[in-house]
Amino acid sequence: MGDHAVELLKVLFPYLSRVTVDGVVRVGASVRIAARCVAATARCPGCGTVSVRVHSRYGRRLADTAVGGQETAIDLEVRRFFCDSTDCAKKTFAEQVDQLSFRYGRRTVSLQHLLRHVALALGGQAGKRLAERLATPVSGPTLLRLIRSMDLPEVPELTVLGVDEFAFRRGRRFGTILIDMNSHRPVDVLPDHTADTFANWLRRHPHIGTICRDRGGAFAEGAERGQPGIPQIADRWHLLHNLATGLEKAVTRHRSCLKAPEPEATPGPASTSAGESAYERKIRERHHNVQTLFLQGSPSTRSAHGSGSTAKRYGATRGLPPPSR
Ligand SMILES: [Zn+2]
């Protein structure tokens, strides 16, 4: 093999530098790499003792990331070593190759890593379809197991807790989501959105100093019951949401104060004023159409313009008189 070919293998398969490759064959549409472990010693995973005494050898097949779009597997011969420490519960142990294999794993470390990211991004079924395209076939349930087997991230001590409703199924079933307001990351999801459930959770987390929540209701009650006297503040989103709702109501209430439009010099949708943009022209035309249909008493006012809200926005409802023209 030329120097460049050796270099290529080292660059493309860094994790094979710790084993000896005995052969590469194509089986059907897939690539099989035969390799064996050659390190002189292995470290017992139980007690850390280094052993040189080989007990036995056996083969493992590790699915790997695709090579050139082809499904790839490594047939790896590994050894079982004796643990010579008298204090260790393990009499023998299997060696693992750093960056390549892990205990009970049927994939290489890099494929495990890749599939876990696929699972996190897409979940089971969509992840399975992408994995097939990547020539690393895997079942949907296996992808979900990869997510569940991940270590949960360390949750730093919570000081300010955000609480809000969380829809398991939109409009149907709600739970509660709890957020660390310092990191803006979710820390827990509760199965319902009752005051009791939230209060119980708070009692188990007494170090929280402040609650950030919506403006009243079950979470206010739950916070007071779980940690009486805890400072509670309204979060920005709910304040802005309430403000927007209030503003909309006020504007609607004063709609009759709005001046009726000036009669147009040349009536009809085709008329344009100087400087009118395409968007403004479109609005004017739509207004004209809605009004025309409404004045004709057309039952299709709703369907002709997509939605009732469009007609309503232009005042074409039974409750409001059409603007004088
Ligand atoms: Zn040991």
Side-chain angles (χ1 to χ4, degrees):
M1 207 189 290
D3 287 350
H4 289 307
V6 174
E7 204 55 40
L8 182 72
L9 286 182
K10 272 193 196 163
V11 171
L12 296 186
F13 302 95
Y15 47 87
L16 288 180
S17 63
R18 295 170 184 84
V19 297
T20 293
V21 174
D22 290 326
V24 181
V25 289
R26 190 197 295 272
V27 180
S30 61
V31 175
R32 294 272 168 79
I33 300 170
R36 67 197 144 88
C37 299
V38 287
T41 61
R43 192 178 289 275
C44 170
C47 65
T49 303
V50 173
S51 175
V52 293
R53 288 207 301 137
V54 174
H55 170 276
S56 55
R57 292 165 198 275
Y58 65 100
R60 288 175 71 177
R61 175 164 296 163
L62 303 174
D64 195 12
T65 47
V67 176
Q70 304 166 97
E71 196 177 327
T72 303
I74 298 170
D75 287 322
L76 185 67
E77 186 190 280
V78 294
R79 296 160 297 179
R80 186 163 273 282
F81 284 76
F82 287 104
C83 179
D84 290 325
S85 167
T86 47
D87 299 333
C88 186
K90 288 181 185 295
K91 294 298 159 224
T92 64
F93 63 91
E95 66 183 329
Q96 302 297 341
V97 184
D98 198 26
Q99 304 294 309
L100 178 64
S101 70
F102 56 95
R103 213 170 159 207
Y104 304 130
R106 289 191 289 178
R107 294 177 204 97
T108 60
V109 171
S110 59
L111 179 59
Q112 179 89 343
H113 196 70
L114 174 83
L115 291 180
R116 189 164 269 161
H117 280 284
V118 168
L120 286 171
L122 297 173
Q125 285 310 308
K128 177 187 160 197
R129 290 194 290 275
L130 177 63
E132 265 164 23
R133 289 274 171 184
L134 296 174
T136 53
V138 66
S139 75
T142 300
L143 286 174
L144 296 183
R145 272 196 296 278
L146 286 178
I147 296 177
R148 293 197 190 103
S149 68
M150 287 176 73
D151 293 328
L152 290 173
E154 284 279 310
V155 177
E157 186 105 318
L158 284 167
T159 50
V160 183
L161 179 77
V163 56
D164 205 353
E165 280 184 343
F166 175 82
F168 291 113
R169 212 176 144 202
R170 215 169 165 187
R172 296 283 186 86
R173 199 159 77 80
F174 290 96
T176 301
I177 189 163
L178 303 174
I179 311 277
D180 175 1
M181 295 307 281
N182 289 320
S183 65
H184 296 128
R185 294 183 71 89
V187 289
D188 211 344
V189 174
L190 309 182
D192 58 36
H193 57 145
T194 63
D196 279 342
T197 307
F198 181 43
N200 284 337
W201 190 94
L202 272 182
R203 281 183 206 111
R204 293 195 307 271
H205 298 83
H207 48 268
I208 291 163
T210 308
I211 306 280
C212 189
R213 58 159 173 83
D214 57 7
R215 299 191 51 221
F219 298 135
E221 197 186 322
E224 192 52 38
R225 263 195 254 156
Q227 283 190 47
I230 189 171
Q232 301 184 33
I233 52 178
D235 74 35
R236 201 183 305 163
W237 187 88
H238 283 102
L239 286 177
L240 285 173
H241 183 67
N242 289 156
L243 175 65
T245 311
L247 195 64
E248 200 177 340
K249 271 188 196 156
V251 170
T252 309
R253 209 163 39 237
H254 292 284
R255 194 182 183 285
S256 58
C257 311
L258 293 173
K259 246 176 80 182
E262 293 289 320
E264 289 168 22
T266 327
S271 71
T272 56
S273 338
E276 187 178 57
S277 74
Y279 175 73
E280 287 163 342
R281 192 161 57 248
K282 198 172 139 198
I283 295 284
R284 180 200 293 280
E285 284 170 14
R286 190 175 290 173
H287 177 267
H288 177 83
N289 289 338
V290 170
Q291 290 299 328
T292 307
L293 284 167
F294 178 70
L295 291 172
Q296 287 165 0
S298 166
S300 62
T301 307
R302 177 174 283 262
S303 58
H305 294 278
S307 73
S309 66
T310 305
K312 204 189 233 169
R313 203 160 64 235
Y314 293 113
T317 57
R318 301 285 163 196
L320 289 167
S324 54
R325 310 205 80 226

